[in-house]
């Protein structure tokens, strides 16, 4: 299959998006930008389109897709019930990086929800995405547009790397703004529960709701017997090809340890990658030292993470040592991705 790149230009934006919408209306797939990461979109109400999304990604079919909408009215059509909590959260955070899980209505095929009776819904905060959804019939199922297991794409070029020849078209509207996927909240239980940490933090949510939100216990345990409630969270993900090890502890000790390990690896003939922040980047000597930005600038750290993980592959490193980036709310989301990329290999100093 020949993959067409649809570049968005200010002057012809509408006709370019219409071209993509026509493909989706016809049952085809188009990768498109959102504010979080690039998505791989198809008509969410068409079981065939959802099946094609799984095939293009090589994704296990029990891992449900997020349905992207362009207005809140659409939520009523694809759910059995959307109560006050959903409305309040949508008013506060939509369009934006928040996905809500609700009981699905009959028009949503099980192919889209990985066999579940619930559906994940999000209104993305990106003008191209919103226009595409409106012109495509209102409901676009879209996982991140990476091959299953690879880091999520934050540029159209990343999508080309993974999807060229597999899908009819990719919309290129430049790099995304946020860089990690949406926060997922489950609204089907007694309490509001976070199933995937993201840019919107537990504090942001509880401030708006006026009550505590819980976090899926499986996210903070490495115990293999506790299955996470978002099926996708159980898979190895974001992983660079090289072995990756996180080093946790006092900042100075961490830098010294990583420096030593890098020296050891390189003198043993290995190419070493280091993932760090600006303050320590200059002190390291290794084949590939990548800084995510200033340590205090959590948004920058999140925005640069996936591109950095992809670069390690391009540079063909054999082993990667990474500093940790926990701290505030977004830091938790970053650490969640890093832990998965490192298959939970952490050395605590
Ligand atoms: O920011 C995002 O959310 C991006 C952009 C493209 O919108 N999308 C994204 O989709 O990250 P994906 O498919 O890569 O991740 C969706 C996650 C998976 O972990 C999946 O298991 C979970 O959402 N999920 C989807 N529907 C669910 C449901 N009904 N119940 C529980 N988890 C669900
Ligand atoms: Mg994904």
């Amino acid at each position: 299959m020949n993959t067409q790149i649809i570049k968005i230009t200010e002057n012809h934006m509408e006709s370019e998006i219409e071209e993509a919408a026509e493909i989706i209306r016809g049952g085809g797939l188009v990768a498109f930008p959102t504010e979080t990461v690039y998505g791989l979109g198809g008509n969410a109400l068409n079981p065939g389109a959802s099946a094609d999304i799984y095939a293009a990604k090589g994704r296990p079919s029990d891992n449900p897709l997020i349905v992207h909408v362009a207005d809140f009215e659409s939520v009523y059509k694809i759910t059995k019930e959307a109560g006050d909590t959903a409305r309040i959260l949508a008013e506060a955070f939509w369009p934006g990086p928040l996905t809500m899980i609700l009981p699905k209505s009959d028009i949503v095929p099980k192919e889209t929800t990985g066999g579940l009776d619930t559906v994940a819904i999000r209104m993305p905060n990106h003008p191209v995405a919103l226009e595409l959804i409106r012109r495509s019939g209102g409901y676009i199922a879209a996982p991140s547009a990476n091959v299953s297991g690879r880091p999520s794409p934050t540029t159209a070029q990343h999508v080309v790397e993974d999807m060229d020849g597999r899908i009819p078209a990719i919309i290129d509207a430049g790099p995304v703004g946020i860089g990690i996927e949406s926060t997922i909240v489950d609204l089907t239980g007694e309490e509001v529960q976070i199933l995937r940490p993201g840019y919107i933090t537990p504090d942001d949510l509880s401030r708006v709701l006026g009550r505590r939100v819980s976090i899926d216990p499986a996210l903070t345990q490495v115990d293999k017997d506790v299955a996470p409630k978002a099926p996708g969270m159980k898979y190895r993900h974001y992983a660079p090809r090289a072995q990756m090890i996180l080093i946790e502890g006092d900042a100075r000790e961490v830098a010294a340890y990583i420096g030593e390990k890098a020296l050891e690896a390189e003198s043993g003939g290995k190419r070493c990658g280091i993932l760090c922040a600006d303050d320590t980047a200059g002190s390291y000597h290794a084949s590939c030292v990548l800084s995510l930005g200033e340590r205090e600038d959590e948004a920058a750290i999140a925005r640069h993470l996936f591109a950095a993980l992809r670069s390690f592959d391009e540079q063909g490193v054999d082993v990667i040592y990474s500093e940790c980036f926990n701290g505030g709310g977004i830091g938790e989301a970053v650490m969640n991705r890093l832990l998965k990329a490192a298959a939970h290999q952490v050395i605590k100093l």
Side-chain angles (χ1 to χ4, degrees):
M1 185 186 296
N2 191 23
T3 302
Q4 182 194 355
I5 310 291
I6 302 175
K7 185 132 184 92
I8 297 293
T9 53
E10 288 278 320
N11 297 339
H12 303 99
M13 180 159 147
E14 293 211 342
S15 61
E16 286 148 359
I17 296 175
E18 176 55 27
E19 208 181 329
E22 203 179 319
I23 296 173
I24 293 186
R25 291 197 302 267
L29 307 185
V30 177
F32 65 99
T34 79
E35 80 282 35
T36 56
V37 298
Y38 270 74
L40 174 56
N43 178 356
L45 307 186
N46 175 346
S50 290
D52 288 347
I53 291 176
Y54 286 99
K57 275 183 70 89
R59 176 169 174 136
S61 61
D62 70 341
N63 188 1
L65 309 175
I66 296 175
V67 179
H68 295 67
V69 299
D71 53 54
F72 193 74
E73 288 308 302
S74 303
V75 174
Y76 293 119
K77 301 218 176 87
I78 57 173
T79 57
K80 279 224 168 79
E81 47 182 282
D84 287 346
T85 308
R87 207 180 26 77
I88 292 166
L89 289 177
E91 264 167 29
F93 299 110
W94 278 6
L98 181 72
T99 296
M100 304 190 217
I101 311 283
L102 290 161
K104 82 173 192 72
S105 73
D106 293 340
I107 66 165
V108 184
K110 289 252 171 132
E111 282 78 359
T112 299
T113 64
L116 298 178
D117 291 322
T118 54
V119 59
I121 313 172
R122 171 165 118 79
M123 189 193 297
N125 187 16
H126 194 295
V128 172
L130 290 169
E131 188 63 24
L132 181 68
I133 295 163
R134 282 186 210 107
R135 286 172 182 263
S136 302
Y139 307 95
I140 295 187
S144 48
N146 52 285
V147 164
S148 199
R150 294 259 290 152
S152 298
T154 53
T155 65
Q157 184 50 40
H158 295 160
V159 183
V160 172
E161 285 166 18
D162 283 19
M163 290 295 154
D164 192 28
R166 297 189 187 211
I167 57 173
I170 297 168
I171 299 180
D172 181 355
V176 302
I178 289 181
I180 52 171
E181 308 86 343
S182 61
T183 306
I184 301 179
V185 285
D186 183 2
L187 303 185
T188 63
E190 292 267 296
E191 49 180 14
V192 174
Q193 188 169 69
I194 294 179
L195 306 192
R196 178 175 73 184
Y199 196 77
I200 292 174
T201 66
D203 280 352
D204 295 335
L205 293 165
S206 43
R207 209 174 305 124
V208 164
L209 292 173
R211 61 189 158 111
R212 210 182 75 85
V213 299
S214 65
I215 297 175
D216 183 353
L219 298 186
T220 46
Q221 276 159 257
V222 201
D223 188 345
K224 298 276 181 302
D225 296 335
V226 188
K229 297 200 184 87
M233 300 295 280
K234 70 174 177 271
Y235 295 106
R236 183 172 147 86
H237 210 311
Y238 313 117
R241 290 184 194 103
Q243 180 195 29
M244 182 165 170
I245 302 155
L246 310 186
I247 313 299
E248 194 183 287
D250 169 75
R252 225 179 271 164
E253 281 175 36
V254 167
Y257 183 88
I258 291 179
E260 220 171 89
K261 282 289 171 189
L263 212 63
E264 220 172 84
E266 298 270 344
S267 55
K270 282 188 182 166
R271 287 175 62 78
C272 181
I274 297 177
L275 192 61
C276 59
D278 281 356
D279 53 344
T280 47
S283 69
Y284 292 127
H285 302 281
S287 295
C288 182
V289 179
L290 297 177
S291 170
L292 297 178
E294 275 181 45
R295 183 165 287 283
E296 295 70 36
D297 189 351
E298 289 199 310
I301 303 276
R303 191 162 60 242
H304 299 139
L305 177 66
F306 289 146
L309 293 179
R310 280 178 180 258
S311 300
F312 286 128
D313 280 351
E314 274 158 37
Q315 302 284 326
V317 300
D318 301 300
V319 60
I320 302 163
Y321 291 99
S322 174
E323 297 178 355
C324 288
F325 297 89
N326 17 12
I330 308 168
E332 290 309 312
V334 167
M335 282 311 292
N336 167 268
R337 277 38 169 206
L338 271 178
L339 281 163
K340 292 179 85 179
H344 287 271
Q345 282 200 77
V346 186
I347 294 176
K348 296 191 168 121
L349 298 182

